[in-house]
């Protein structure tokens, strides 16, 4: 075979190899795992403190005649001027007007429900309409007297129907520090196993009066079934 033929065969063997390589291809390097995406920062939320909504005090008209309240919608009436007190009943649009006899500085309106209350006297006869209740008022409500004191929720009170002596100790021979008279009220905060009640006039209408009264003289209002027993 001639040298020219051998050269032609050598070129023919190189051409297919050259065609199998990509033109201009860069040398390849080992592949790297994809990097994890950078998380976007979470938006910050500003916490704004909220103030509990306070009931709106009912506006008091300064008309003439007794102050009368009628319900414009159904709502609860309380035994004492506090939302923590027991609900006495419901005041609704089908009930007659109630005459407002007392009010508190924070907007409660008190009325006598006109039901039998043989043991209750004074402010304890009243039932209370909460501030902002759905009512219409007429008459001279601006002149309704403000209660100088009203019972707190959850407290047992002594309502003396006549003179009751307050003793310094649970003993009839002990010193008498005060005599409770009608419409002088004091909280009952304890009882003895010997028939005496401990009263505290600081939660009542006689500040400074504390001591013991005979349990037989008890005329109480409120949650009085679980008066704590005093240690001897």
């Amino acid at each position: 075979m001639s040298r020219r033929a051998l050269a032609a065969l050598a070129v023919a063997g190189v051409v297919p190899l050259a065609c199998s390589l990509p033109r201009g291809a860069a040398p390849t390097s080992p592949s790297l795992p994809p990097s994890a995406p950078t998380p976007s920062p979470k938006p910050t939320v500003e916490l704004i403190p909220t103030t509990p909504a306070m009931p709106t005090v009912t506006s008091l008209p300064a008309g003439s005649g007794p102050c009368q309240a009628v319900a414009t919608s159904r709502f609860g009436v309380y035994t004492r001027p506090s939302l923590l007190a027991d609900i006495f009943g419901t005041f609704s649009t089908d009930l007659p007007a109630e005459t407002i006899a007392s009010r508190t500085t924070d907007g409660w309106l008190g009325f006598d429900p006109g039901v039998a209350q043989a043991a209750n006297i004074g402010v304890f006869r009243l039932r209370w309409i909460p501030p902002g209740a759905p009512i219409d008022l007429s008459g001279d409500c601006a002149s309704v007297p403000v209660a100088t004191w009203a019972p707190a929720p959850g407290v047992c009170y002594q309502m003396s129907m006549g003179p009751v002596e307050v003793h310094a100790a649970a003993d009839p021979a002990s010193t008498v520090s005060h005599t409770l008279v009608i419409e002088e009220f004091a909280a009952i905060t304890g009882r003895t196993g010997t028939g005496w009640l401990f009263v505290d006039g600081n939660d009542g209408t006689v500040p400074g009066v504390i001591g013991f009264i005979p349990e037989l003289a008890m005329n109480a209002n409120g949650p009085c079934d679980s008066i704590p027993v005093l240690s001897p």
Side-chain angles (χ1 to χ4, degrees), residues 43-208:
T44 58
V45 178
E46 182 182 1
L47 299 179
I48 302 175
T50 57
T51 302
M54 297 298 291
T56 303
V57 176
T58 305
S59 178
L60 302 178
S64 60
C67 178
Q68 301 275 308
V70 294
T72 59
S73 185
R74 186 183 179 91
F75 65 93
V77 173
Y78 293 77
T79 56
R80 294 178 181 179
S82 170
L83 295 175
L84 299 178
D86 293 333
I87 292 182
F88 168 74
T90 302
F91 198 7
S92 56
T93 56
D94 59 335
L95 294 176
E98 295 287 356
T99 300
I100 304 302
S102 182
R103 59 190 176 98
T104 65
T105 55
D106 56 352
W108 288 79
L109 303 176
F111 66 93
D112 189 328
V115 296
Q117 300 186 64
N120 289 338
I121 58 176
V123 69
F124 289 96
R125 295 187 61 85
L126 300 181
R127 300 297 177 261
W128 297 89
I129 297 172
I135 57 174
D136 280 337
L137 293 173
S138 61
D140 188 8
C141 298
S143 296
V144 171
V146 176
T148 57
W149 178 84
V155 180
C156 174
Y157 289 97
Q158 167 69 10
M159 307 177 299
S160 298
M161 302 292 285
V164 175
E165 294 180 339
V166 179
H167 289 258
D171 183 346
S174 63
T175 304
V176 174
S177 60
H178 183 80
T179 299
L180 294 172
V181 297
I182 190 169
E183 294 203 25
E184 283 189 344
F185 309 120
I188 300 174
T189 60
R191 70 193 328 153
T192 71
T194 56
W196 291 81
L197 302 173
F198 186 80
V199 296
D200 184 355
N202 292 303
D203 185 358
T205 60
V206 280

Side-chain angles (χ1 to χ4, degrees), residues 2 9 17 34 42 92 97 104-105 131 232:
S2 65
L9 288 174
L17 179 62
K42 294 183 179 180
S92 56
T104 65
T105 55

